[in-house]
C-alpha cells in the first residue's frame, strides 16, 4: 500500500473546530485520516505550526518549500471562497472511463 502524507499550512489545530469559525472540510479530513489509520493505512498529516520538522526532513517537500514557500500550501480561506462561489452552480461530476 502506498504511503500518504498530507502537508498543511500553519493552522491553530488540525481538527478545524478551534476558534469561532469551524471549518467543515478540516473536520472531514480529520475524520477521514483517523478512519484510514484505523483500517491500517499508512497515512500521516503534517501541520506547519505543530510539526515543522516534517517539512524539512522530506527532500521533496523541503525543495518545494524552498522554491514556493508556504504560499504553495493549500489555503483554507481560498478553498472556502472557491467553494462558496460555486454553490449556486450545478455540481459537475467527472465520468470515469472503464478499462476495456
Amino acid at each position: 500500500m502506498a504511503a500518504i502524507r498530507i502537508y498543511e499550512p500553519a493552522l491553530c489545530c488540525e481538527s478545524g473546530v478551534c476558534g469561532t469559525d469551524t471549518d467543515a472540510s478540516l473536520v472531514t479530513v480529520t475524520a477521514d485520516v483517523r478512519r484510514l489509520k484505523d483500517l491500517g493505512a499508512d497515512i500521516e498529516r503534517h501541520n506547519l505550526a505543530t510539526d515543522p520538522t516534517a517539512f524539512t526532513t522530506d527532500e521533496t517537500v523541503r525543495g518545494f518549500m524552498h522554491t514556493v514557500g508556504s504560499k504553495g500550501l493549500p489555503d483554507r480561506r481560498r478553498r472556502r471562497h472557491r467553494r462558496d462561489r460555486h454553490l449556486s452552480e450545478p455540481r459537475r461530476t467527472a465520468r470515469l472511463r472503464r478499462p476495456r
Side-chain angles (χ1 to χ4, degrees), residues 27-81:
V27 173
T28 301
V29 169
T30 300
D32 291 345
V33 168
R34 186 174 296 134
R35 176 75 175 137
L36 289 170
K37 280 185 179 183
D38 290 346
L39 293 172
D42 182 11
I43 184 169
E44 293 178 11
R45 191 171 170 196
H46 303 288
N47 180 336
L48 188 56
T50 59
D51 191 12
T53 55
F55 289 77
T56 59
T57 56
D58 184 288
E59 186 177 322
T60 304
V61 176
R62 186 176 59 238
F64 177 83
M65 294 296 287
H66 179 72
T67 304
V68 181
S70 63
K71 292 179 183 177
L73 296 172
D75 182 2
R76 67 182 247 201
R77 289 171 301 189
R78 221 179 2 182
R79 186 173 57 229
R80 181 178 297 142
H81 174 70

